[in-house]
């Protein structure tokens, strides 16, 4: 569907935070009728890929679709009239029956009579028969039918799937873009949101959830961890007892906070002005901790936390992760 001007198309992207260059690219493609029939949206979790897919679908069919949907919650299937369809894994896998239903829909005409959009989330989870059916469909595109495939892990997709799509990569949203959006939507000052932005690392979904809940993260537990592994006489026993009280989501948040503190400590030790710290509100605590850590301990610590977060993303048992983290930090201070 073509529109009389890019401004109309741009309106559908107003709710997507950041990704200005991608927005311009989508607007040009849709306005000129050159949007690919098969697109791959890739990038880290929470940066806006699914929101962007909804915006592209809206612009293609000419009206806002999938409005007021919280994509942070699980939805195995959604549809908006007969024009836009969304599917996600059933529990952990995209199953053959889900794509079979899409094939049945493709054979029908939508409300517009000219355009239908199929959004498939976490496409890396599809089973082999799902993949084979989708490949055949992509090889024989139906006029007016668009597929938007979404993934956090493009490296594990079948090359044959990737080769049949035009790829659009989404990067984490910058702190400047996120803070501007938060001030516009919720008021306040940029400085009010900086600790939150430092923790979330460009993950729009996490930032908005924190603000929605009215529960901005505290770094108290992260500082407690660093003080424990550096100063306690019985650090392993003290920390593992505390970690046992944490929920998995709380542990992941805490690991991210520890990583932010370690990076700020590295900045302080290199003599960088405090205005460049991500946790400026904790400047005094950081200044107290910085002399206690060597540069090597801090850089090694960042790598340990990054490994722990990767393990958490792969659903490794959180108790084992905390064991690894605690033991690694204690080795750093010379404990055996």
């Amino acid at each position: 569907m073509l529109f009389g001007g890019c401004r109309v198309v741009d309106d559908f992207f107003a709710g997507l935070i950041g990704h200005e260059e991608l927005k311009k690219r989508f607007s040009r493609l849709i306005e000129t009728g050159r949007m690919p029939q098969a697109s791959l949206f890739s990038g880290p979790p929470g940066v806006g890929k699914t929101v962007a897919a909804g915006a592209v679908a809206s612009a293609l069919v000419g009206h806002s679709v999938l409005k007021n949907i919280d994509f942070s919650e699980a939805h195995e299937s959604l549809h908006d009239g007969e024009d836009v369809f969304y599917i996600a894994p059933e529990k952990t896998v995209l199953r053959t029956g889900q794509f079979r239903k899409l094939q049945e829909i493709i054979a029908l005409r939508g409300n517009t009579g000219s355009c239908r959009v199929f959004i498939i989330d976490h496409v890396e989870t599809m089973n082999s028969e799902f993949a084979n059916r989708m490949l055949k469909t992509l090889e024989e595109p139906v006029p007016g039918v668009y597929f938007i495939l979404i993934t956090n892990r493009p490296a594990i997709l079948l090359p044959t799937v990737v080769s049949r799509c035009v790829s659009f990569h989404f990067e984490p949203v910058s702190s400047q873009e996120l803070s501007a959006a938060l001030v516009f939507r919720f008021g306040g000052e940029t400085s009010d949101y900086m600790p939150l932005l430092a923790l979330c690392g460009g993950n729009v979904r996490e930032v908005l959830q924190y603000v929605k809940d009215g529960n901005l993260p505290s770094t108290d537990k992260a500082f407690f961890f660093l003080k424990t592994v550096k100063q306690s006489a019985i650090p392993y026993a003290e920390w593992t007892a505390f970690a046992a009280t944490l929920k998995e989501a709380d542990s992941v948040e805490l690991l991210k906070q520890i990583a932010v503190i370690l990076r700020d400590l590295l900045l302080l030790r290199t003599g960088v002005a405090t205005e460049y710290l991500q946790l400026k509100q904790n400047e005094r605590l950081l200044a107290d901790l910085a002399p206690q850590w060597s540069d090597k301990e801090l850089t090694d610590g960042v790598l340990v936390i990054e490994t722990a977060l990767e393990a958490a993303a792969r659903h490794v048992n959180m108790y084992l992760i905390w064991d690894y983290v605690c033991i690694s930090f204690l080795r750093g201070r010379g404990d055996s």
Side-chain angles (χ1 to χ4, degrees), residues 219-220 223 227 265 282-290:
T219 55
D220 292 348
F223 278 105
K227 289 179 180 178
L265 289 173
N282 296 122
E283 180 181 339
R284 183 173 177 179
L285 281 170
L286 291 165
D288 289 342
L289 274 179

Side-chain angles (χ1 to χ4, degrees), residues 17 175-194 197 211:
I17 296 174
S175 294
Q176 292 82 358
E177 289 175 305
L178 258 173
S179 60
L182 292 172
V183 170
F184 177 77
R185 291 189 180 192
F186 305 106
E189 303 292 334
T190 298
S191 58
D192 298 334
Y193 300 105
M194 292 313 294
L197 300 181
V211 176

Side-chain angles (χ1 to χ4, degrees), residues 21-62:
E21 290 304 313
L22 281 175
K23 290 179 187 177
K24 293 176 184 176
R25 187 177 174 191
F26 289 137
S27 292
R28 287 195 299 268
L29 290 170
I30 294 168
E31 175 66 21
T32 57
R34 295 185 293 113
M35 186 67 196
Q37 285 191 260
S39 302
L40 178 64
F41 287 13
S42 66
V47 296
K49 302 184 298 296
T50 308
V51 175
V56 168
S58 297
L60 285 168
V61 301

Side-chain angles (χ1 to χ4, degrees), residues 188-236:
E189 303 292 334
T190 298
S191 58
D192 298 334
Y193 300 105
M194 292 313 294
L196 176 59
L197 300 181
L199 169 64
C200 294
N203 186 316
V204 179
R205 183 172 61 213
E206 282 190 8
V207 169
L208 293 178
Q209 192 62 51
Y210 275 122
V211 176
K212 177 183 175 183
D213 292 344
N215 182 27
L216 297 184
S218 166
T219 55
D220 292 348
K221 293 175 184 176
F223 278 105
F224 173 62
F225 168 80
L226 293 172
K227 289 179 180 178
T228 299
V229 296
K230 179 57 71 172
Q231 301 172 4
S232 173
I234 50 170
Y236 181 82

Side-chain angles (χ1 to χ4, degrees), residues 254-280:
L254 182 52
L255 288 167
K256 292 178 181 178
Q257 291 174 341
I258 293 169
V260 172
I261 293 172
L262 293 175
R263 293 188 180 101
D264 270 358
L265 289 173
L266 273 169
L267 288 175
L268 278 179
R269 288 185 57 81
T270 57
V272 169
T274 56
E275 65 185 275
Y276 294 105
L277 297 176
Q278 295 188 48
L279 300 175
K280 298 183 188 69

